[in-house]
Amino acid sequence: MDSDVREGPGVVPMRVIVLALVAAISYSTFFLENVLSPKLDFLNGYVSELSAVDQPFHLVYSGGDFITGVLSILVSVATLRRLTRKPLATAGWAFLGLFGVCAIGDASFPLDCAPSLETWCALRERSENVSFSHEFHSVTSSAVIVCGVAALLLLSLAARRYGWWPALARWGWLLALAETVFALSTLGAMYLGQWLGIVQRVQITVLCLGLLTIAWALYSDRRDATRDARETSAAREGACL
């Protein structure tokens, strides 16, 4: 951590912290697949296939992505408005907002069908006889990963540079690194034609952990600020006695 420790970043209202927490939970709807979508291949099926328009409960999964996107944007706007603006931190919160935009894109442009589950769907996909939504989904999914990694890395760098958010300083860069490794592993899994499903699920889990880390970092600052205010108030009252 840089020895030039700066003043704190400030605090956000508790409702913003709750929004970040709910965003992490809503992004983990794929954990319900064993109950809601047991037919999809956990090891080799795309996570995005859960929200394909012809799949049962697709609204549960796409709804989770949409909620995460909206809440991430709200958290981004709130932090940019209320916290101290330093270059790295500002860039990190901005990328969190872009992550939210891309998550909404994932929900708005679902796959037509599940290629790993339905042979006719795989054939349509190979012959490029699918909708724009089906084709564009790969763009939004890739953008989600890029923006998520950028947000975690920049916020981690900001935490270490300015002496803020210990949780992000310690874990943010590790989560960004893990996300990058698993994103590259996804390409290898696609080439080999196996293990794609499990790699993607770990990848999304890392993003959920990243959102939880952001929520915890914001909560820790608010908790510490509240404690310091109480101690200062108590000290002043004691001095007046």
Side-chain angles (χ1 to χ4, degrees):
M1 185 179 296
D2 196 299
S3 59
D4 183 17
V5 178
R6 311 302 175 87
E7 295 181 358
V11 297
V12 295
M14 191 64 192
R15 62 178 178 273
V16 176
I17 299 168
V18 173
L19 293 180
L21 176 62
V22 174
I25 296 172
S26 61
Y27 205 52
S28 62
T29 53
F30 70 95
F31 283 118
L32 299 173
E33 65 179 305
N34 289 332
V35 176
L36 301 181
S37 309
K39 292 183 179 180
L40 190 68
D41 187 352
F42 177 83
L43 294 178
N44 300 305
Y46 290 100
V47 176
S48 297
E49 293 181 76
L50 294 168
S51 58
V53 294
D54 71 338
Q55 295 301 303
F57 303 106
H58 66 95
L59 291 178
V60 173
Y61 306 111
S62 59
D65 288 350
F66 185 84
I67 291 172
T68 295
V70 171
L71 297 184
S72 296
I73 292 172
L74 292 176
V75 171
S76 172
V77 171
T79 50
L80 287 171
R81 289 183 60 188
R82 291 181 174 270
L83 300 184
T84 302
R85 293 189 182 182
K86 295 287 186 179
L88 288 172
T90 298
W93 294 124
F95 268 105
L96 179 65
L98 290 175
F99 164 83
V101 171
C102 296
I104 292 174
D106 257 359
S108 302
F109 298 96
L111 299 178
D112 297 338
C113 48
S116 71
L117 187 61
E118 300 157 327
T119 303
W120 62 267
C121 180
L123 293 174
R124 282 181 56 184
E125 190 175 62
R126 290 173 186 173
S127 63
E128 299 183 354
N129 187 26
V130 291
S131 68
F132 171 80
S133 175
H134 190 105
E135 293 183 338
F136 192 66
H137 186 83
S138 61
V139 176
T140 59
S141 294
S142 299
V144 162
I145 302 303
V146 172
C147 292
V149 169
L152 286 171
L153 181 59
L154 288 167
L155 289 174
S156 175
L157 291 175
R160 298 173 70 85
R161 176 66 179 86
Y162 309 130
W164 299 345
W165 310 312
L168 280 168
R170 182 175 183 180
W171 300 108
W173 70 274
L174 287 173
L175 291 170
L177 177 61
E179 185 67 17
T180 301
V181 169
F182 281 108
L184 295 175
S185 298
T186 299
L187 299 177
M190 291 176 64
Y191 177 78
L192 295 174
Q194 58 184 350
W195 306 111
L196 177 61
I198 190 66
V199 172
Q200 272 200 328
R201 283 156 178 79
V202 174
Q203 189 178 333
I204 297 174
T205 299
V206 172
L207 287 178
C208 292
L209 292 174
L211 291 170
L212 287 175
T213 302
I214 288 172
W216 177 253
L218 294 174
Y219 170 75
S220 296
D221 269 4
R222 182 175 177 81
R223 178 198 60 196
D224 294 345
T226 301
R227 181 190 60 201
D228 292 345
R230 288 175 180 172
E231 291 177 353
T232 301
S233 178
R236 288 176 179 174
E237 290 178 0
C240 293
L241 294 179

